[in-house]
Amino acid sequence: MYTASAGSKESSDCLITVRTAENTKVEVTSIVDPLYHDQIVTLINQILKSYDAPRVHIFCEDRGALDYTIKARLKTALERLGNHAE
Amino acid sequence: MPNKSYLFISGNKPANIQNADIFDADAVIFDVEDAVAPDEKDAARQLIRHYLSDLYPKDINVYVRINGVDSVWFDVDFASLDKAAINGIILPKATDASISACEQKLNKTKKDWDVIALIESPRGLTEATTIAARPVVKALMFGAEDYSLAMNIDRQFADMALNHARNTVALSAKAYGKEAIDTPYPDMRDQTCFEEETKTARKMGFTGKACIHPAHVPFINKTFFPTDDELVWAEKIITAAEKHPNEGVFALDGKMIDEPIIAHAKAILAEANQDE
């Protein structure tokens, strides 16, 4: 099992941890959970689909990150996971 | 017109990146070099790339300080900005050889980015004029911290050595009509010294100054903008010149006024009008 992460828990950032898994699963906790939880999950799923990512468990701890930050952190974490697996 | 203020922003801090255009700096420099730890440079590249793609800053010139030509990250930094609509790059530890290598890379990848050469080593300083002469170079920027380290001098107390270096950077840049950007002032607590250094930079002929904290931007902008006295003087010169259209030189208030002085007055007014 491989794990990688990217980002931080600073304001306007998110910490994304990805782990190889048998099935893809996305979990999100957010300081703006009621408003943006579903939107963040949808965004992550969109990126996973476009990235042709392997099956992974993704855990996103959001601190008010905008979409561009979530995309960037997720892509970084996936690339780091790929580097671990090589 | 030259940019007066250049604000450095760490390339790995979303909170700072997405506020790049609210501080009134003429230019922002997203930094993937010294402001980002080696293990986080991949994250910074992705963050900058997605920010520029999704939320391009408004009414501000955008530069990226990439890692040096001799570093393991130069090529990947370059590639990560492939589709980025930036004005240019800052090349750290600039020497004539590194600028040449960067120029070849730009030609090969058909990019029309400006290059700001960061002069922060003894060798870079001795080659400043040659670097400024290269068409791809838009500006020379002086980096006092790394320069002081290389020279083994104390940045805080080495006025004589540093002013010589600053003068050389300003002179070399101006010799080829390039912008000259002074080094950032590092101590946020010392406003007096920051202001003195900024005013000195203007007197040395620098066209702007870099900074690492947004609070320094307003004073830099004000210092490198024509003063009220300069504007009054310039308008007086132009008005007088219009009254002597066919004379190569004339007297005004007991002083000789010729073409270079008139050109200087025009430049001051142009600079003021550019910012309005």
Side-chain angles (χ1 to χ4, degrees):
Chain A
M1 182 187 296
Y2 300 103
T3 301
S5 65
S8 74
K9 294 183 185 179
E10 291 180 9
S11 177
S12 300
D13 204 347
C14 61
L15 177 62
I16 291 191
T17 304
V18 297
R19 193 170 66 225
T20 53
E22 289 193 4
N23 294 295
T24 294
K25 182 180 176 183
V26 177
E27 286 186 67
V28 172
T29 63
S30 174
I31 58 170
V32 285
D33 234 12
L35 289 172
Y36 291 107
H37 177 274
D38 291 351
Q39 181 176 324
I40 295 171
V41 170
T42 301
L43 178 63
I44 290 174
N45 279 319
Q46 281 173 355
I47 294 166
L48 288 177
K49 195 172 174 184
S50 70
Y51 220 65
D52 196 23
R55 293 189 195 91
V56 286
H57 180 192
I58 294 180
F59 187 47
C60 172
E61 297 174 77
D62 172 54
R63 292 289 186 270
L66 298 179
D67 283 3
Y68 83 92
T69 300
I70 297 171
K71 286 183 202 174
R73 296 319 198 189
L74 176 57
K75 286 186 181 178
T76 302
L78 288 171
E79 284 174 4
R80 289 176 176 176
L81 185 71
N83 292 341
H84 278 320
E86 283 168 8
Chain B
M1 301 303 289
N3 294 313
K4 300 182 292 296
S5 49
Y6 286 81
L7 175 62
F8 274 95
I9 291 180
S10 166
N12 206 27
K13 301 273 187 192
N16 296 344
I17 289 171
Q18 62 209 34
N19 288 321
D21 51 5
I22 70 170
F23 300 116
D24 208 26
D26 288 341
V28 64
I29 301 170
F30 294 123
D31 191 6
V32 293
E33 200 228 2
D34 284 353
V36 180
D39 288 349
E40 289 294 321
K41 291 192 189 289
D42 59 340
R45 281 191 289 270
Q46 284 282 13
L47 201 61
I48 291 170
R49 193 155 67 91
H50 282 281
Y51 171 71
L52 292 177
S53 166
D54 291 9
L55 282 177
Y56 202 86
K58 297 177 182 51
D59 299 325
I60 191 169
N61 293 304
V62 177
Y63 295 86
V64 178
R65 179 165 69 168
I66 60 175
N67 289 278
V69 162
D70 294 334
S71 76
V72 298
W73 303 291
F74 176 73
D75 287 335
V76 68
D77 285 350
F78 221 90
S80 77
L81 296 169
D82 188 45
K83 295 182 175 56
I86 58 175
N87 295 89
I89 55 175
I90 315 289
L91 192 70
K93 316 289 189 296
T95 62
D96 192 54
S98 72
I99 293 292
S100 175
C102 185
E103 195 169 20
Q104 287 174 35
K105 187 89 173 174
L106 287 167
N107 289 338
K108 193 175 169 185
T109 53
K110 294 185 173 42
K111 297 220 181 350
D112 62 354
W113 295 339
D114 291 328
V115 174
I116 296 179
L118 186 45
I119 307 297
E120 50 183 355
S121 69
R123 180 161 164 198
L125 191 68
T126 59
E127 295 178 350
T129 309
T130 311
I131 292 168
R134 288 188 175 269
V136 74
V137 171
K138 166 189 164 70
L140 301 185
M141 178 185 291
F142 179 54
E145 301 302 322
D146 282 49
Y147 180 79
S148 298
L149 191 64
M151 292 291 288
N152 196 26
I153 57 179
D154 188 328
R155 195 235 194 268
Q156 191 178 353
F157 300 109
D159 282 357
M160 194 166 59
L162 287 177
N163 282 344
H164 165 73
R166 292 163 82 197
N167 270 321
T168 302
V169 168
L171 175 65
S172 300
K174 286 293 186 70
Y176 288 93
K178 306 294 173 77
E179 288 183 38
I181 306 160
D182 194 29
T183 186
Y185 189 79
D187 190 350
M188 277 306 304
R189 299 163 301 176
D190 195 340
Q191 184 69 12
T192 303
C193 281
F194 156 66
E195 290 185 5
E196 276 310 306
E197 186 177 279
T198 305
K199 286 188 270 189
T200 301
R202 177 108 195 269
K203 290 176 190 171
M204 285 180 173
F206 281 98
T207 56
K209 188 173 177 66
C211 56
I212 55 174
H213 197 288
H216 283 173
V217 170
F219 189 80
I220 293 171
N221 285 344
K222 180 184 162 192
T223 302
F224 286 94
F225 189 80
T227 63
D228 289 343
D229 287 348
E230 286 172 332
L231 290 170
V232 166
W233 173 85
E235 284 174 1
K236 196 171 178 181
I237 295 295
I238 298 303
T239 302
E242 288 169 353
K243 292 178 182 169
H244 299 86
N246 300 315
E247 297 172 48
V249 60
F250 60 89
L252 179 66
D253 296 339
K255 293 181 182 161
M256 181 195 79
I257 308 298
D258 59 2
E259 187 51 40
I261 295 174
I262 297 170
H264 184 201
K266 285 179 181 173
I268 289 173
L269 293 177
E271 193 177 353
N273 290 334
Q274 181 77 15
D275 271 31
E276 285 172 1

